[in-house]
Amino acid sequence: MRRIIAPSMLSADFGNLDRDTRMIDRSAAQWVHIDVMDGVFVPNISFGFPVMKPIRQATTKTLDVHLMITDPVRYVARFVEAGADYVTFHYEATDDCRACIDAIHRAGARAGISIKPATAAEVLEELLPEVEMVLVMSVEPGFGGQSFIPSSIDKIRTLAEMKRRMGLDTLIEVDGGISAANARELFDAGAEALVAGSAVFHAADPESEIVRMLNA
Ligand code: DX5
Ligand code: ZN
């Protein structure tokens, strides 16, 4: 099983975005997680294309873009143009998940679909063969620094079992409240990509924290 760490730039120092992105680029983390919020789908606004540009310029790592926006189909192609390798949208944010997946694929990126804590893993059953990744939110989307919701572990297990049954190798990513303290449990449940914002950027030594998570 793969073990991928995706530090979330939401917790980076935006006054030193270039420095912080280069630190992740040097680190053992394989991906860079980018949280885009529109103030409608979630009660917060983060950043958009102009902020993605310096991140893309400062790293060659996989850009994992997490869209917390309403009607994501309108913008997915622009995120791919801005350098996204994975574009993940929310199941709850659109009436037409398939159109959104198709738009991401047509634009040349890998597609991910995410569920909020109140959404059951089972809703993804029919869509699982169509996407490269599913993202389980283990906090309410919108803010960094929240506590991990323990029931997320069961969702990871359900999705891992669904994948096995269907013979798929869809990546399972988890996002919210993750650190070296719970990374092992998540990998064991079947998660392969772990997002971490505050645990990485607020650590005394972010690069060591990433290694600790990878070796958890
Ligand atoms: C929250 C974002 C997360 C956030 C995680 O809506 O999707 O990616 O940055 O932050 P931590 O790791 O601090 O919970
Ligand atoms: Zn995220």
Side-chain angles (χ1 to χ4, degrees):
M1 282 220 342
R2 296 158 283 197
R3 283 188 167 206
I4 294 165
I5 302 297
S8 165
M9 297 309 291
L10 193 63
S11 294
D13 174 358
F14 289 93
N16 290 289
L17 195 55
D18 186 67
R19 180 201 67 190
D20 281 7
T21 310
R22 286 178 199 282
M23 181 275 290
I24 301 302
D25 193 64
R26 277 194 312 272
S27 79
Q30 300 94 331
W31 290 5
V32 178
H33 185 83
I34 297 183
D35 289 298
V36 178
M37 306 176 186
D38 67 354
V40 177
F41 181 68
V42 289
N44 197 12
I45 296 177
S46 57
F47 52 76
F49 310 112
V51 175
M52 255 191 84
K53 208 169 156 189
I55 297 175
R56 181 70 289 177
Q57 283 165 353
T59 183
T60 55
K61 293 202 167 167
T62 296
L63 291 196
D64 169 34
V65 175
H66 176 196
L67 298 180
M68 286 161 273
I69 67 173
T70 299
D71 284 337
V73 72
R74 296 175 296 166
Y75 291 105
V76 293
R78 284 192 63 194
F79 281 102
V80 178
E81 261 168 57
D85 297 291
Y86 280 83
V87 176
T88 296
F89 65 94
H90 268 268
Y91 173 83
E92 305 87 355
T94 174
D95 292 331
D96 195 344
C97 290
R98 283 210 162 76
C100 204
I101 294 165
D102 289 346
I104 296 167
H105 286 157
R106 266 201 312 275
R110 293 174 180 188
I113 183 161
S114 180
I115 49 172
K116 298 208 279 184
T119 304
E122 285 77 8
V123 303
L124 297 179
E125 176 128 26
E126 282 187 11
L127 294 163
L128 208 61
E130 321 275 335
V131 291
E132 284 72 42
M133 179 159 83
V134 288
L135 168 56
V136 174
M137 284 309 297
S138 42
V139 299
E140 283 302 332
F143 301 90
Q146 304 177 72
S147 305
F148 182 85
I149 299 172
S151 57
S152 314
I153 302 267
D154 285 335
K155 278 196 200 178
I156 298 165
R157 291 203 184 101
T158 302
L159 287 165
E161 173 51 32
M162 220 184 260
K163 226 174 106 163
R164 255 195 305 277
R165 191 165 24 87
M166 298 167 93
L168 300 169
D169 75 337
T170 321
L171 270 168
I172 301 177
E173 184 177 49
V174 195
D175 181 3
I178 300 171
S179 69
N182 57 4
R184 170 83 186 265
E185 199 183 0
L186 299 172
F187 285 133
D188 285 350
E192 292 175 299
L194 306 186
V195 178
S198 33
V200 168
F201 286 98
H202 301 167
D205 181 353
E207 290 187 56
S208 304
E209 179 66 17
I210 290 166
V211 172
R212 265 196 294 280
M213 291 180 71
L214 276 170
N215 298 332

